Amino acid sequence: MDAANYASLAALCQRVFAQPLRESMPECPAAVSAPWCLTLLTGQVREPSLQALQAFLDGQQWRVVGVDILACRAACCAIRLQLDSELAFDDARRALLALADGLDMELILQPGATQRTPQLACFDMDSTLIQAEVIDELAKIAGVGDQVAEITLSAMRGELDFQQSFRRRMGLLKGFTEASLADIAPRLPIMPGAPRLLRALRGLGCKTAILSGGFTYFANYLKDNHLAVDVIHANQLEFDGGALTGGVIDPIVDGARKAHLLQEIAEEMHLSLEQVVAVGDGANDLPMLALGALGIAFHAKPKVRAEAPQAIDGFELDAALYLFGLNDRQIEALLDDATQ
């Protein structure tokens, strides 16, 4: 963080939102007392965009009662506005999504009470913690990539029942060898920001879980080699003679099962759903995204982005930490502690 840039941004925010800000980032943001928080994420803050946002808020009679700059970096600026207003969440969320598209920023609305560290964070795996749909990668090697990819996309768009699509895809992978799986696992690209987010959550005492329609084989590899994960629930691969049978082992982890597992883990940990957050990208993640204090659609398909309570589109996965009420000074301190 550049101190001069921070001071300049603080002056700009103070001018536009008429709220006092310190000239340097404090150790921690102000306590949240308003009923709603609106987090602005952008690569570059532009005064006309802030003015347009303020005009929109005035038009809605959503009064800004506090401003905190959570991040001021070349790749990401995060500004949190506390809003004192009565609003209908779903209508407000949709209006802000439409507004953000025209302002070159992301606007994420959440109840003020959810600006806190969760006690349990549940993640989808494929296209959320890793930059791949594993079943598609297996299919490419097996020579059925186009067929499987089309089924996957239809399922993620919500056009096909997940269980039916999963059985169809697995049938196409019959004969794939276990030795080939071991070659693929180290090549899975980790989602940028995922290791930082999970390490920070562990430092905060938050338990983490993978709830995936992918495979335990790869989820366990990630847990053992890359990501600070506590619990894994995913689909098991069925082998015979060192090769996939093309069958499945029930129960399949689909959207309904993800939601059930989230609730089950929370109960086992004696947590209320207000202490849980979920992150995913596909239509089969929507049931769990609807359950917790926050349901964050990450780099999601349009249908999921439109329906999820919160969405992060153009930033790395660790941008979720700003929705937990943390600023960059706190995050860096957590990560420094984790490496000592």
Side-chain angles (χ1 to χ4, degrees), residues 125 210 212 215-224 229 232-234:
M125 180 174 66
I210 290 177
S212 174
F215 305 112
T216 54
Y217 185 99
F218 297 101
N220 283 319
Y221 178 87
L222 294 174
K223 179 178 183 293
D224 293 341
V229 176
I232 288 173
H233 289 281

Side-chain angles (χ1 to χ4, degrees), residues 82-152:
Q82 294 194 46
L83 302 179
D84 185 8
S85 61
E86 293 184 6
L87 55 82
F89 176 73
D90 280 339
D91 290 342
R93 176 182 61 80
R94 292 189 184 96
L96 288 164
L97 279 175
L99 176 68
D101 287 340
L103 297 181
D104 194 26
M105 63 175 65
E106 298 181 21
L107 297 170
I108 306 167
L109 183 67
Q110 64 188 107
T114 65
Q115 269 268 325
R116 63 184 183 188
T117 303
Q119 297 302 299
L120 170 65
C122 296
F123 295 88
D124 174 47
M125 180 174 66
D126 293 22
S127 297
T128 300
L129 293 176
I130 58 175
Q131 293 178 289
E133 293 287 333
V134 170
I135 197 167
D136 291 354
E137 298 306 309
L138 302 185
K140 290 174 187 175
I141 296 171
V144 292
D146 290 344
Q147 296 162 267
V148 167
E150 181 54 39
I151 297 170
T152 297

Side-chain angles (χ1 to χ4, degrees), residues 255-265 291:
R257 178 130 182 93
K258 288 186 181 189
H260 172 77
L261 288 165
L262 182 149
Q263 294 176 88
E264 186 177 80
I265 297 167
L291 287 177

Side-chain angles (χ1 to χ4, degrees), residues 166 170 214-217 234-239 247-251:
F166 184 75
M170 288 306 301
F215 305 112
T216 54
Y217 185 99
N235 293 303
Q236 297 182 58
L237 293 168
E238 184 178 66
F239 295 98
V248 301
I249 298 176
D250 290 320

